[in-house]
Amino acid sequence: MSKDCKYYLPHNLDLSVLEKVSPPGFVYCTDKAMYLLSLINTIPANNRSKYADAEGWTPINSTTIQNVSIRNFPEYKKWFVQLGVIECDGQYIPDEKSYSFRFTEEYRTPITPVNYSTKYTFANKTQKLLKPIDKDTQKYPNLHKWFNKSLTIDDSAAMHYLGLSHMIDRKEDKTKALDRYNSAVIGVDKMADSNYYFSVDTTAGRLHTNYTSMPSEIRNFTKYDGQELVSLDFKNSQPVMSTLLFAPQFWVKNETLDKKNVQFLPNTSVLNSYFFNFYDLSSKFLPILNISTYTTSTYACPLMLAEMGVPIENKDVGTYITEILKGNLYEYVEEKVQELNGDYGVRTRKEIKKMMFTIMFSGNKKSSSEKDLFKQLFPSIYIMFAFIKRTKKELLPIMLQTIESMLFLDRIAGRIAQERQELPIFTIHDSITTTVGNEAYVKRIMEEETIKAIGVKPPIDISNWSQSNIKWGELEKKAGIINKKTA
């Protein structure tokens, strides 16, 4: 008994030919070989940003192999390597790093979805791993239920777009262009097949779905029940979350806070159970409060002020929060960096955002000119970030992402699901997507819940997802395709 399964392999790789030319000298099954090779492409496709700079290397955990009962994996690996199909980095660290694999240069080509009649028992094992995790779907059933056959994608148009984009991207970096293309192809193909991914990570509680791993341009080709979709997302999302760090009621346990003496951030006049509190987060963040880890008195300053119920009122904190709420933080930083540094070169928003992320999330010991300039602009902000990162640089981004997840998944999406059960909604970390015509309602809920939980009214961008956003002529021109009508 068999079952059709889909695998994603390099278009020039024909396993049946390899099996004849060099027959495997071990207990071998084509189903398992296809699955193992397909993992090199499918694992990165589920978390595109994580593997953006991996140069084709994919770590494959032994548990992933054991879960589908491939007990002689080392023999498959040896055979693939001898045939010149894949290569292994040879680096393994117990409980820390798995072996990573990638296709050899010959087979580093665009992938092709391959339908293969697979043994029923093996097919069930592999497909079970791709199904949504029960605990995740039970935690957010009102988000999971919208991943159904009413969610569609114009896969023909999407694939054409990807082909043109790949032709353009490969002119700059062939390796990265190929990785992006292959991951995107898998994303389009899976949505077209109604093969949905729904998983909540244990690091920051973020929800990962087909949409979160999909390139933003491809979302223009999706609809729900035939209706176009509209996305509402926070501008400067991580900085917005960071404003909470300067509210004393975030740092102090509710039962020990003297409400009469507390000065609140704008829009928070009362302390209520909605306002996020440090002690409601995971215990993994408790080391932040460990007095013994203070390295200088300046690091202690933000927390000491918070414990006294006094917000940091330095001028730079006010400017920082003001620019964030205007949605202009990145532009403001760029302007001031140019003034201080005498550098008047034009930077893209993506470059400014990357610079800000380096400032916020790199270790304290790592110095850079950008950090020095940021410290001049926002000394109090820099101190707070350094204070949180002083033991482990990952604590700041993980804490901000945790706050973001709580806000979007539990508060915003939770309230919409309660009030408008019939309204389709999808989350992409710091954004909510719904059907066109419902954006005013969703925007109001996003603003109200953020004010309650964080104390600020967030700047929100609204953008329609539509194929009309795609500039086909411009793409074809960049790709070097001559329009016959105008040639």
Side-chain angles (χ1 to χ4, degrees):
M1 194 172 181
S2 61
K3 187 175 183 179
D4 277 345
C5 287
K6 186 170 285 188
Y7 302 101
Y8 300 93
L9 302 175
H11 74 84
N12 60 334
L13 175 61
D14 189 334
L15 265 179
S16 62
V17 171
L18 295 178
E19 289 166 355
K20 291 177 182 177
V21 172
S22 182
F26 57 94
V27 179
Y28 172 86
C29 175
T30 301
D31 304 0
K32 294 180 179 180
M34 282 195 165
Y35 173 74
L36 291 170
L37 292 173
S38 190
L39 283 176
I40 296 175
N41 288 315
T42 55
I43 289 176
N46 286 337
N47 198 335
R48 190 169 48 92
S49 60
K50 182 178 178 181
Y51 297 96
D53 298 313
E55 297 186 341
W57 291 104
T58 300
I60 300 181
N61 192 292
S62 58
T63 305
T64 305
I65 309 300
Q66 293 166 4
N67 285 339
V68 292
S69 303
I70 304 180
R71 296 182 177 83
N72 61 338
F73 170 65
E75 293 179 292
Y76 280 92
K77 180 179 75 172
K78 184 179 179 181
W79 186 63
F80 292 146
V81 172
Q82 287 177 340
L83 288 174
V85 174
I86 67 170
E87 52 192 17
C88 175
D89 68 351
Q91 299 174 15
Y92 171 74
I93 304 173
D95 301 320
E96 188 174 329
K97 184 193 177 302
S98 303
Y99 286 119
S100 289
F101 303 88
R102 71 176 178 183
F103 289 101
T104 58
E105 189 171 354
E106 180 182 354
Y107 295 103
R108 246 172 266 160
T109 61
I111 61 169
T112 299
V114 178
N115 286 302
Y116 187 76
S117 183
T118 303
K119 291 181 180 177
Y120 193 82
T121 52
F122 183 71
N124 276 354
K125 286 179 181 178
T126 59
Q127 291 180 352
K128 185 178 180 181
L129 293 177
L130 299 175
K131 288 182 179 179
I133 302 171
D134 288 341
K135 65 179 177 64
D136 295 337
T137 58
Q138 290 169 8
K139 187 174 183 180
Y140 299 113
N142 291 316
L143 288 173
H144 177 248
K145 71 178 183 179
W146 302 114
F147 286 89
N148 57 55
K149 292 195 174 181
S150 291
L151 180 59
T152 59
I153 186 168
D154 184 343
D155 54 325
S156 177
M159 289 294 192
H160 180 52
Y161 173 87
L162 288 177
L164 291 174
S165 296
H166 180 57
M167 291 172 70
I168 298 167
D169 292 346
R170 69 192 307 274
K171 294 177 183 179
E172 294 184 11
D173 190 321
K174 288 185 179 181
T175 300
K176 286 187 177 181
L178 179 65
D179 293 343
R180 283 195 296 266
Y181 174 80
N182 285 343
S183 290
V185 165
I186 293 173
V188 170
D189 193 69
K190 285 189 174 182
M191 186 167 279
D193 286 348
S194 298
N195 184 356
Y196 302 120
Y197 178 74
F198 193 95
S199 176
V200 178
D201 69 45
T202 57
T203 303
R206 281 185 145 190
L207 175 61
H208 302 273
T209 67
N210 299 65
Y211 269 133
T212 60
S213 61
M214 181 181 288
S216 57
E217 297 86 354
I218 300 302
R219 296 166 190 157
N220 287 301
F221 299 94
T222 65
K223 292 183 178 181
Y224 188 84
D225 198 22
Q227 301 176 72
E228 288 193 346
L229 299 166
V230 58
S231 175
L232 299 92
D233 65 286
F234 279 12
K235 290 183 179 180
N236 314 328
S237 177
Q238 295 303 304
V240 167
M241 302 305 155
S242 74
T243 62
L244 186 61
L245 306 178
F246 301 92
Q249 61 269 41
F250 171 70
W251 291 105
V252 184
K253 287 185 178 180
N254 290 343
E255 63 269 20
T256 63
L257 187 62
D258 184 351
K259 301 179 187 179
K260 294 180 180 179
N261 296 325
V262 171
Q263 298 179 45
F264 294 85
L265 285 175
N267 299 314
T268 52
S269 57
V270 294
L271 184 66
N272 55 59
S273 59
Y274 261 81
F275 198 90
F276 285 155
N277 185 272
F278 176 82
Y279 294 90
D280 295 331
L281 303 180
S282 169
S283 59
K284 74 177 72 172
F285 302 115
L286 288 178
I288 290 173
L289 303 182
N290 188 348
I291 303 296
S292 65
T293 62
Y294 289 167
T295 55
T296 73
S297 59
T298 55
Y299 283 175
C301 183
L303 186 58
M304 288 170 62
L305 288 172
E307 287 174 337
M308 292 185 290
V310 181
I312 298 178
E313 294 182 329
N314 294 351
K315 182 180 178 181
D316 67 302
V317 175
T319 302
Y320 177 76
I321 294 176
T322 298
E323 294 301 328
I324 286 173
L325 300 187
K326 285 162 56 180
N328 294 332
L329 179 66
Y330 296 151
E331 290 76 8
Y332 176 84
V333 170
E334 171 64 4
E335 180 185 336
K336 293 301 178 183
V337 164
Q338 288 177 346
E339 291 178 7
L340 290 170
N341 204 30
D343 175 13
Y344 292 93
V346 177
R347 290 184 176 90
T348 64
R349 182 178 177 83
K350 186 176 181 181
E351 289 172 333
I352 301 168
K353 187 175 180 179
K354 185 177 180 180
M355 182 182 77
M356 280 296 299
F357 273 35
T358 298
I359 292 163
M360 294 177 72
F361 304 146
S362 63
N364 291 343
K365 293 181 180 180
K366 184 177 180 180
S367 60
S368 69
S369 58
E370 288 89 351
K371 278 188 174 183
D372 292 338
L373 288 166
F374 185 82
K375 193 173 182 179
Q376 290 183 55
L377 292 174
F378 303 114
S380 302
I381 309 299
Y382 184 89
I383 288 171
M384 178 63 87
F385 291 167
F387 160 70
I388 294 172
K389 296 187 295 179
R390 70 194 187 285
T391 57
K392 193 176 181 182
K393 67 178 181 180
E394 291 83 6
L395 281 178
L396 179 59
I398 292 174
M399 186 162 75
L400 296 180
Q401 288 173 7
T402 300
I403 293 168
E404 175 191 84
S405 299
M406 292 169 60
L407 175 61
F408 276 83
L409 300 177
D410 300 326
R411 300 292 176 81
I412 297 173
R415 180 176 164 186
I416 293 172
Q418 187 175 38
E419 293 182 357
R420 298 275 299 273
Q421 295 182 13
E422 80 292 351
L423 183 63
I425 55 171
F426 304 91
T427 64
I428 305 177
H429 303 322
D430 60 357
S431 69
I432 300 285
T433 297
T434 187
T435 46
V436 170
N438 296 292
E439 52 267 37
Y441 164 74
V442 171
K443 183 174 185 287
R444 177 171 63 82
I445 301 303
M446 291 172 74
E447 290 174 344
E448 290 178 358
E449 292 303 311
T450 305
I451 290 171
K452 290 177 185 177
I454 294 180
V456 297
K457 183 179 178 180
I460 296 174
D461 262 338
I462 301 177
S463 56
N464 285 33
W465 290 352
S466 171
Q467 289 193 42
S468 62
N469 293 330
I470 307 299
K471 299 177 181 178
W472 293 106
E474 194 174 303
L475 278 171
E476 290 175 350
K477 185 177 180 181
K478 288 182 179 179
I481 297 176
I482 299 175
N483 191 322
K484 292 181 179 179
K485 294 180 180 180
T486 60

